Amino acid sequence: MKTTFKIFTLILVFTTFLFAQNKQIEKKIDDLLKQMTIEEKIGQLTQYSGDRSATGPVTFKGDHKELIKAGKIGSMLNVLGTNYTRQYQEIAMQSRLKIPLLFGQDVIHGYKTTFPIPLAEAASWDLEAIEKAARIAAIEASASGIHWTFAPMVDIARDPRWGRVMEGAGEDTYLGSRIAYARVKGFQGNGLGNIDAIMACAKHFAAYGAAVGGRDYNSVDMSERQLWETYLPPFKAAVDAGAATFMNSFNDINGIPATGNKYIQHDILKGKWKFDGFIVSDWGSIREMIEHGYSKDLSEATKQAILSGNDMDMESSAYRNSLAELVKNKQVPMNIVDEAVRRILRKKFELGLFDDPYKFSNPERERKELNNPEHREFAREIAKKSIVLLKNEKQTLPISRNVKNIAMIGPMAKVTKDNHGFWSVTIPELNYDKFVVSQFDGVKNHLGKDTNLLYAKGCDIDCKSNEGFAEAVETAKKADVVILTVGEAWNQSGEAKSRSNIHLPGMQEELIKAVKATGKPVVVLINAGRPLVFDWTADNADAILYTWWLGTEAGNAIADVIFGDYNPSGKLPMTFPRSEGQIPIYYNHFNTGRPAKDDKNITYRSAYLDLSITPKFEFGYGLSYTTFQYSDLKLDKKKMEMTDKIEVSLNVTNTGKYEGEEVVQLYLRDKVASVVRPVKELKDFQKIKLNAGETKTIKFTINKEKLSFYNAQLNWIAEAGEFDLMIGSSSADVRLKDTFELVNLNYIH
Ligand code: NOJ
């Protein structure tokens, strides 16, 4: 009783404190707004890129510093480091009202210490680790003068041709929402105002991942159902986690560019979801509405953007050039401008920048935090967890340390920058070779003096000739086992890196064939920013590890897995197609009226004549060095009321000889509903660790929320009826099944 009272009092004191603080902030904003000229207000809505790197087409050639001094720029991106940010902040402090600048940066998968690309991290299915990676990224970025990351990207992506799949959590809405939540929490830590918290930015709002044909920046044509059911939930999760900012997107949605889309920004995000942060445009996306054919000129684009809820203008110079005139001509009410300014100032206050604009510019902290050994240790930890074992014939892996001769072959063996992958922060002084552990070095670090590590490059990533194959084959012949490492270069997946052909680039698969012909056991490592197509390799290699782009500690982490110091536990967050012709392919599709049950029965069925109906590797797939047995599925009841819940339990036993982790996945299917439901949908999962021989009981709870969906009127409801419950090791490898019934009349909340 006493403790409850104490907790209650503490919560009350804290809420009262927050309430008073917020009131104070709003009052300070009122005072500032009264003093600001229209130019100064527009300044707060204006953001430009500095010269440390260009993450888009630079259009502004003027002098930023002069504009900052005049109070005409409120935020910069691509200005980083304590010294450089301080220099800029000092200029802002010379402006009339001394409103501090906000420094934003694409801190996508780490800052100086880099982690696996977000898609790879998603393969870990380890929410705690994902949150921690974002936390460390924030610690480093904030120590380097940064206030704000343009992350997480929470776009659902079902098309691996789209280069930006590397930046998100993959194809699934449930997994994507859980990860969105974790990443926002990680970046924002204990809340804005803390020295190591940076603002998160959920992007790209909205539906950017559904660009037609997987071509970047392309149009999006999408039903309301699909939007609400598949693409919006991760954004809602970001709001629930307290994301301070949102970024809109380059695409149009059903003909209306997202940047000028009132429905998306004003009605849904700021209205229905009550988001109190601010929205920044994507780079130049206000101006690009002219190119879309939605705005006749920059002035109209400005009006459309601000009236639909876009608060800050990144790099378009639209607000700076046109907004004052629009206000003067009463085409944009002043209170709309004030509201946008208020949202931005609020965050500057919350960050504590008005108390100390140089708060994040402390070189001593920068020296201590960047590349801190603890951060690197964790980078290795999460990199190991992100690796997916796709194949392991005759227990080729793990490789014993007693092997006499190991050959490392392939263009990825000695690379460093490519391990980082796309969207690593451009730190000008960074020497990749010194700073990033190559795969060759990682393997070497693991071997004693009795093992020879041989090497041949074989070919370049994009090679057009087989010149180096002979040397590779000779090297392979001298070895007991070959580690063949292939993949994409750092700039072959990412923004504007869509590819129509997603096979291994160049002649790398030919190299694998040549080496495999030696008869030596071949372990293939595939380093990439997206699911690739590598059918021959999948069918013929002895073992395959999908190693994505793993960051600073790639080499060590990969070697940890190769030699069995870590038992791989990753599961694919995206379906891997057999060929580009299957795209889009995802596990949670509808059944159709003529489903093909298997490849032999496709006459008058929904199938391709020339391709299997199954993907090469399904969503949720990933092997381990050990094996897991699922048993004893129990439901505490087979019928539940709308307000009720079902407790599900099952046992998982590690039946192999290694300690290992398993992601136990729970899928549901609503068998008959007022709108067609997917064949299965992920609704829960648990990642567990088991010693060899150990059994654990896993529990899940099924409640109405897990059974709900958007009906024809787009109401979120659960309907009475039968549900299939499927629990397994992947979306296709269902080990235990049951059915249960939801009873009651239709229920709308
Ligand atoms: C364009 C990208 O779409 C966006 O994600 C990124 O944050 C900005 N450029 C800034 O670099």
Side-chain angles (χ1 to χ4, degrees), residues 32 66 77 128 144 147 153 231 233 264-265 297 306 325 342 376 389 403 445 596 615 622 637 683 743:
L32 258 180
E66 277 311 307
L77 70 150
E128 224 176 279
S144 198
H147 309 137
M153 184 188 101
Y231 288 84
I264 292 285
Q265 301 180 102
D297 52 25
I306 193 134
E325 192 68 14
R342 175 179 297 278
R376 289 197 68 122
L389 176 64
V403 168
N445 294 341
K637 56 180 87 66
K683 289 291 177 180
V743 288

Side-chain angles (χ1 to χ4, degrees), residues 22 45 54 66 74 157 164 185 306 327 351 364 366 379 432 468 494 745:
N22 290 347
L45 310 184
E66 277 311 307
R164 298 197 83 167
K185 286 282 180 206
I306 193 134
V327 172
L351 282 164
E364 206 178 305
E366 188 176 38
Y432 288 96
L745 293 174

Side-chain angles (χ1 to χ4, degrees), residues 268-547:
I268 297 177
L269 180 57
K270 291 181 173 176
K272 194 173 166 66
W273 294 350
K274 301 191 169 40
F275 169 67
D276 82 338
F278 69 87
I279 306 178
V280 61
S281 77
D282 203 343
W283 181 298
S285 68
I286 301 180
R287 184 182 286 271
E288 287 173 16
M289 290 200 289
I290 304 172
E291 206 72 49
H292 275 280
Y294 187 67
S295 322
K296 69 174 184 302
D297 52 25
L298 205 56
S299 169
E300 189 173 30
T302 298
K303 183 176 162 187
Q304 287 164 324
I306 193 134
L307 291 183
S308 58
N310 181 114
D311 301 301
M312 187 182 278
D313 170 359
M314 181 195 289
E315 275 286 332
S316 279
S317 303
Y319 286 7
R320 195 168 64 78
N321 284 322
S322 314
L323 193 50
E325 192 68 14
L326 287 164
V327 172
K328 197 166 139 214
N329 296 338
K330 308 229 172 329
Q331 301 217 31
V332 171
M334 184 64 104
N335 69 320
I336 298 274
V337 176
D338 285 353
E339 172 60 18
V341 176
R342 175 179 297 278
R343 283 172 178 268
I344 292 162
L345 291 179
R346 188 182 286 146
K347 294 303 160 197
K348 291 188 176 182
F349 274 111
E350 286 174 13
L351 282 164
L353 293 176
F354 279 96
D355 300 328
D356 178 5
Y358 306 110
K359 185 174 164 185
F360 296 88
S361 300
N362 172 350
E364 206 178 305
R365 192 163 83 91
E366 188 176 38
R367 265 192 304 276
K368 176 174 161 264
E369 297 296 5
L370 269 53
N371 199 26
N372 170 326
E374 277 172 31
H375 299 173
R376 289 197 68 122
E377 201 180 308
F378 180 72
R380 181 168 177 169
E381 200 56 35
I382 191 160
K384 291 188 286 198
K385 287 172 185 263
S386 304
I387 296 171
V388 185
L389 176 64
L390 294 180
K391 186 176 182 188
N392 196 15
E393 298 279 287
K394 295 187 229 120
Q395 293 182 318
T396 308
L397 283 171
I399 297 176
S400 152
R401 281 188 167 85
N402 299 328
V403 168
K404 275 265 157 302
N405 294 296
I406 298 179
M408 240 188 133
I409 296 175
M412 303 299 287
K414 291 197 173 178
V415 296
T416 48
K417 187 170 166 60
D418 298 299
N419 285 338
H420 272 295
F422 202 79
W423 277 133
S424 53
V425 180
T426 310
I427 299 178
E429 67 278 9
L430 197 69
N431 176 342
Y432 288 96
D433 285 344
K434 248 176 72 190
F435 184 66
V436 181
V437 184
S438 75
Q439 297 169 32
F440 183 84
D441 285 345
V443 168
K444 204 163 95 198
N445 294 341
H446 277 67
L447 297 174
K449 57 180 180 357
D450 296 335
T451 306
N452 297 318
L453 182 59
L454 313 167
Y455 166 74
K457 187 172 181 189
C459 66
D460 287 328
I461 292 172
D462 250 332
C463 61
K464 308 269 179 291
S465 114
N466 60 4
E467 240 170 78
F469 285 19
E471 189 199 355
V473 167
E474 284 318 303
T475 310
K477 281 183 184 160
K478 291 185 205 134
D480 304 299
V481 56
V482 178
I483 302 168
L484 186 35
T485 176
V486 294
E488 290 186 309
W490 70 272
N491 56 2
Q492 287 182 317
S493 282
E495 185 183 346
K497 303 290 179 278
S498 294
R499 290 170 54 202
S500 65
N501 171 350
I502 58 167
H503 283 68
L504 278 165
M507 294 179 66
Q508 294 183 87
E509 198 151 40
E510 299 307 308
L511 174 67
I512 301 171
K513 287 180 191 169
V515 171
K516 177 65 193 164
T518 61
K520 299 289 177 170
V522 177
V523 174
V524 177
L525 312 178
I526 302 182
N527 310 264
R530 53 153 66 87
L532 291 176
V533 172
F534 46 92
D535 259 17
W536 189 91
T537 302
D539 295 340
N540 294 281
D542 299 283
I544 303 173
L545 289 169
Y546 213 77
T547 50

